[in-house]
Amino acid sequence: MHKDCEYILVDEQKIKSLVKELAQKISEDYKDKNLLLVGLLKGSVVFMSDLMKEISVDCKIDFICASSYGTGTVSTGRVNIVKDLSQPIDGVDVLIIEDIIDSGNTLTFMKKYLSAKGAASVKICTLLSKPSRREVDIPIDYLGIEIPDEFVIGYGLDYAEKYRNLPYVGVLKRSVYS
Ligand code: IMP
Ligand code: MG
């Protein structure tokens, strides 16, 4: 375990089984659809690459980057597009792939933004959710697992751009950021 990690919250084996379950549901639901996975950079990349390998229906991928936390651990509530999609999405069934939903502000914005581009449907798939921190009500179509209000790192998730490469989801030691 990394020295800055307090404890492992979701280990590699658990992540694997969550990803498999999600991919199975998605594959059933998108059988006759025009599926485009849209990963929110950068946190979703590890989850998305594992998830897409388990999806058995045809799909395309793209990425979009919204403004992040900067280097802090608390959301600012403001969202900007830093990198946009590389293709039109008229008539496309978009599935947003996210690492974690915290306040819900980022995804509320993204869902509206992508719908306004003419997508046939826009749904949300997230590996993690912290329901106790929600500021806006947002329906999650595909959820891996709910977690308590702890700042987590690994499996794509960062603190100040570090720890994304850890293969598990762990709780960051408070001494690292306070
Ligand atoms: P929201 O707009 O507050 O829902 O923020 C979601 C984004 O905040 C996620 O995409 C993550 O990048 C980041 N985030 C929220 N909680 C954590 C955490 O515990 N660790 C790392 N990043 C987090
Ligand atoms: Mg993120």
Side-chain angles (χ1 to χ4, degrees):
M1 189 174 75
H2 194 286
K3 65 168 174 42
D4 294 345
C5 188
E6 188 75 52
Y7 60 93
I8 293 176
L9 194 60
V10 194
D11 65 23
E12 288 183 68
Q13 215 183 338
K14 179 71 183 172
I15 292 175
K16 249 191 196 145
S17 74
L18 291 174
V19 166
K20 266 215 164 112
E21 267 174 49
L22 288 171
Q24 236 163 43
K25 278 188 211 141
I26 292 167
S27 302
E28 281 163 26
D29 296 353
Y30 284 86
K31 243 179 227 153
D32 304 307
K33 307 257 178 171
N34 190 6
L35 175 59
L36 175 71
L37 305 176
V38 173
L40 291 202
L41 293 174
K42 303 169 202 167
S44 70
V45 293
V46 183
F47 175 43
M48 179 144 147
S49 52
D50 281 349
L51 184 73
M52 63 189 281
K53 285 183 284 184
E54 299 288 341
I55 290 178
S56 58
V57 293
D58 288 344
C59 68
K60 296 180 180 172
I61 66 165
D62 206 341
F63 294 95
I64 193 162
C65 186
S67 60
S68 71
Y69 276 40
T71 55
T73 56
V74 179
S75 172
T76 58
R78 282 176 287 123
V79 181
N80 301 302
I81 300 293
V82 179
K83 180 233 168 275
D84 209 335
L85 296 180
S86 61
Q87 57 200 295
I89 53 166
D90 309 77
V92 167
D93 294 298
V94 170
L95 182 59
I96 303 175
I97 310 296
E98 176 64 309
D99 49 2
I100 188 167
I101 303 184
D102 188 45
S103 70
N105 288 317
T106 309
L107 276 178
T108 301
F109 173 87
M110 286 309 299
K111 209 175 163 176
K112 275 192 204 139
Y113 183 77
L114 294 172
S115 301
K117 280 178 181 275
S121 64
V122 181
K123 292 197 170 180
I124 290 170
C125 173
T126 183
L127 179 66
L128 308 170
S129 170
K130 289 187 209 171
S132 62
R133 303 221 352 130
R134 209 70 93 243
E135 289 171 13
V136 283
D137 196 26
I138 173 131
I140 306 176
D141 304 285
Y142 304 93
L143 167 67
I145 190 170
E146 288 186 344
I147 62 165
D149 181 13
E150 298 279 7
F151 196 83
V152 291
I153 50 165
Y155 202 68
L157 291 138
D158 74 306
Y159 170 67
E161 296 298 327
K162 264 176 83 176
Y163 314 112
R164 293 194 198 273
N165 55 316
L166 302 180
Y168 48 81
V169 175
V171 172
L172 182 64
K173 279 187 183 161
R174 281 182 193 272
S175 58
V176 176
Y177 60 89
S178 61

